Amino acid sequence: MTNRYGVILAAGQGTRMKSKLYKVLHPVCGKPMVQHVVDQISMLELSKLVTIVGHGAEKVKSQIGVGSEYALQAEQLGTAHAVMQAASHLEHEKGITLVVCGDTPLITSDTMKSLLDQHEKAGAKATILTALADDPTGYGRVVRDAQGHVERIVEHKDASDEERKIKEINTGTYCFDNEALFYALKHVTNENVQGEYYLPDVIEILKKNGDIVSAYQTASFDETLGVNDRLALSQAEKFMRQRINKTHMLNGVTIIDPDNTYISADAMIGQDTVLYPGTVITGEVEIGSDCEIGPNTEIKNCKIADGTVIRQSVANDSEIGMNVTIGPFAHIRPASLIGDKVKIGNFVEVKKASFGNGSKASHLSYIGDAEVGSNVNIGCGSITVNYDGKNKFLTKIEDDAFIGCNSNLVAPVTVGKGAYVAAGSTITKEVPGNALSIARAHQVNKENYAERLSKKNNS
């Protein structure tokens, strides 16, 4: 098999984005657009991948990591100049090089593979990825000869009236015979209004040498969208969301309202799970089968087991067991571990806490920095008092304990197995197993006090 290489162009600042964030790092469905490109191109099992970085180089490299080699384009002088920066990595290699822009997050590995296959089948020195545009205004037109080979690419401003009727456009993605590419790059000039070195000029150089230039037309124009501003970013987000949601639905997930359900590209969701409108799933999320999520629920970087129901709640960076019910209006904060058959009810906040199987905090509680055993009942309004203004402390509630309503457990403290804490107690010392702890002031009733107070206030 011929060696295959890849070059990703990711050096531009993206001034039209009007952002402090470098263009290719803007997220689409929760993942930076350049990472979408890297993930897709990496499926092709390339011999080598080189990413051209410039503005924000260190941040781009940090995002992609060891998945690519890097070349620096210190000064942005055009796309041909960018590819030339990969010379030290690729110039002397034999094979095929795929060039793709880092701001095309919708491009798929299947399309890139078809482009490479067409290139080999045609025996071409260069093959252009093209698409049919309903409105090709502004795009370079692909002019073909009678044999279907590319005759030339003509920019919109230079096209004749007849050429402007052509709807097949150049998408900016190419593959080349690697040796021919770097030969032609040395002959590209910057004799144009912008004074830049453009990659499409390579096509003209190869044609003058009598080389075959082919094209592969993708069926999806949307897939070729390049993101240069916030409008295009929103379009890419919409198309990607439709693609992600379609994949999950075809895999057995029910999405009640796909237009109002937002799922990250890295999410995994089991069959017969139902997602209700307003559900937002971001980051690396794994949801099991037979779950119900939403409406109006946010899940980020969580693992959720089968049969769990989460309604109108937020869960971040946590693990949630089987047949759990959460919400409405609950907040599962990072580093929480929720066991099976747990109930976290309305207006309950859990932070860096573990809940054993079958435990309940049904309403209006804060459980932070805590280890809660199995079959524990935490009454309404109970709080683990974990913070003294400087340090956080651990509360332990052992199996089968019962915490009465409006109890304060002042950490560090342990409530033993099977113990009871009376409602309204403030616990500052260990509660032994099977004990009843009452920690509240004795009730004092002052007869007729209200009458005396009323007379005082009216005097």
Side-chain angles (χ1 to χ4, degrees), residues 244-396:
I244 292 169
N245 290 357
K246 178 181 178 181
T247 298
H248 286 297
M249 288 187 286
L250 292 176
N251 287 335
V253 177
T254 295
I255 301 178
I256 301 298
D257 184 358
D259 290 337
N260 290 288
T261 302
Y262 307 84
I263 305 173
S264 80
D266 294 321
M268 300 173 60
I269 306 174
Q271 292 182 357
D272 294 313
T273 284
V274 179
L275 304 181
Y276 288 91
T279 294
V280 179
I281 297 171
T282 58
E284 295 183 6
V285 171
E286 183 178 339
I287 300 174
S289 301
D290 302 298
C291 295
E292 294 183 31
I293 309 296
N296 303 317
T297 293
E298 297 179 28
I299 308 292
K300 180 179 180 181
N301 297 329
C302 286
K303 184 176 182 180
I304 301 168
D306 297 346
T308 286
V309 176
I310 304 178
R311 297 200 183 285
Q312 293 167 310
S313 296
V314 176
N316 295 331
D317 301 285
S318 294
E319 187 169 340
I320 299 168
M322 296 176 60
N323 300 311
V324 173
T325 60
I326 295 176
F329 313 118
H331 190 183
I332 310 301
R333 291 172 56 190
S336 294
L337 178 61
I338 310 298
D340 299 338
K341 299 181 179 179
V342 169
K343 181 179 180 181
I344 305 294
N346 52 292
F347 303 105
V348 174
E349 182 175 357
V350 178
K351 190 274 292 184
K352 198 178 180 181
S354 61
F355 271 70
N357 296 341
S359 290
K360 300 178 182 179
S362 296
H363 22 240
L364 297 163
S365 294
Y366 170 71
I367 311 299
D369 296 285
E371 295 176 3
V372 179
S374 298
N375 301 311
V376 170
N377 186 87
I378 299 175
C380 175
S382 296
I383 294 172
T384 59
V385 185
N386 59 331
Y387 185 46
D388 67 358
K390 182 177 180 182
N391 298 304
K392 301 288 180 69
F393 297 95
L394 180 67
T395 297
K396 293 184 179 181

Side-chain angles (χ1 to χ4, degrees), residues 185-210:
L185 284 171
K186 294 175 182 177
H187 295 83
V188 173
T189 70
N190 65 343
E191 296 174 1
N192 52 62
V193 174
Q194 289 78 18
E196 295 186 353
Y197 301 86
Y198 290 128
L199 194 57
D201 290 351
V202 168
I203 303 300
E204 184 177 349
I205 292 168
L206 295 176
K207 288 294 294 183
K208 287 181 178 178
N209 285 346

Side-chain angles (χ1 to χ4, degrees), residues 75-188:
E75 188 178 4
Q76 281 67 61
L77 299 177
T79 50
H81 179 258
V83 176
M84 195 64 193
Q85 307 314 302
S88 61
H89 299 266
L90 296 175
E91 185 173 14
H92 302 295
E93 303 286 357
K94 295 181 182 294
I96 301 172
T97 294
L98 176 67
V99 179
V100 60
C101 295
D103 62 359
T104 55
L106 298 168
I107 195 165
T108 65
S109 59
D110 287 344
T111 293
M112 289 185 281
K113 183 179 184 301
S114 296
L115 175 66
L116 290 163
D117 291 346
Q118 167 66 21
H119 179 82
E120 291 186 321
K121 179 181 177 180
K125 292 297 184 182
T127 302
I128 306 162
L129 179 65
T130 71
L132 291 180
D134 291 335
D135 180 7
T137 303
Y139 289 96
R141 307 304 204 279
V142 177
V143 181
R144 295 178 182 254
D145 61 22
Q147 288 73 42
H149 295 146
V150 174
E151 187 174 282
R152 66 186 183 279
I153 298 173
V154 57
E155 295 304 318
H156 178 86
K157 63 181 183 298
D158 299 322
S160 66
D161 290 342
E162 194 64 27
E163 288 168 337
R164 289 187 179 186
K165 295 178 182 179
I166 297 172
K167 293 193 172 184
E168 187 178 18
I169 57 96
N170 174 23
T171 68
T173 295
Y174 311 85
C175 63
F176 300 94
D177 173 272
N178 190 66
E179 292 173 297
L181 169 63
F182 282 95
Y183 162 81
L185 284 171
K186 294 175 182 177
H187 295 83
V188 173

